[in-house]
Amino acid sequence: QVQLVESGGGSVQAGGSLRLSCAASGYTYSTYFMGWFRQAPGKEREGVASIDTGGGNTFYADSVKGRFTISQDNGKITLYLQMNSLKPEDTAMYYCAAASYGGSWPLDPPMYNYWGQGTQVTVSS
């Protein structure tokens, strides 16, 4: 089992920045990918960014490339999402997730079997 707890959400004006953190505990060594996902009201959950916990390769949704950066600490205990140049359309609940199996696409939510409770990000215009 892997437990995930997100923090760092909040309200910010367009153009501002936020840094999300995800503290992982439990059998973290069993994870292959960790990622950030978001879900806005009335919309499906979508992948934002993910990282291969072994090799460090990163993957981003087109909508956040160049603005968001995913990273992890060396012990794979904490996952981060630095969000810059935030836009109102980035408003959503953001979730941290971990996958203990591989899959076809690292930003595909069904690939992930552990999820945090989420942290709200609100960007005002």
Side-chain angles (χ1 to χ4, degrees):
Q1 292 288 330
V2 176
Q3 293 78 42
L4 304 168
V5 179
E6 304 96 335
S7 62
S11 297
V12 65
Q13 289 192 326
S17 298
L18 283 173
R19 189 193 197 201
L20 305 183
S21 298
C22 173
S25 60
Y27 294 105
T28 57
Y29 62 85
S30 67
T31 61
Y32 287 89
F33 288 88
M34 292 189 72
W36 289 97
F37 296 78
R38 66 187 181 187
Q39 187 166 19
K43 295 187 176 181
E44 292 187 354
R45 189 168 297 188
E46 63 174 353
V48 175
S50 68
I51 187 167
D52 164 8
T53 58
N57 296 313
T58 56
F59 307 85
Y60 295 94
D62 288 343
S63 59
V64 306
K65 281 180 181 177
R67 300 188 298 122
F68 291 11
T69 303
I70 189 171
S71 61
Q72 62 181 36
D73 66 359
N74 289 334
K76 298 190 293 184
I77 300 300
T78 307
L79 184 72
Y80 303 99
L81 184 69
Q82 177 66 43
M83 304 186 295
N84 298 328
S85 302
L86 282 161
K87 304 175 181 180
E89 51 263 44
D90 294 318
T91 295
M93 184 71 78
Y94 282 71
Y95 298 90
C96 173
S100 54
Y101 303 97
S104 58
W105 177 233
L107 292 179
D108 190 14
M111 190 177 114
Y112 291 75
N113 49 335
Y114 299 107
W115 293 85
Q117 293 300 307
T119 184
Q120 178 69 37
V121 171
T122 303
V123 185
S124 59
S125 57

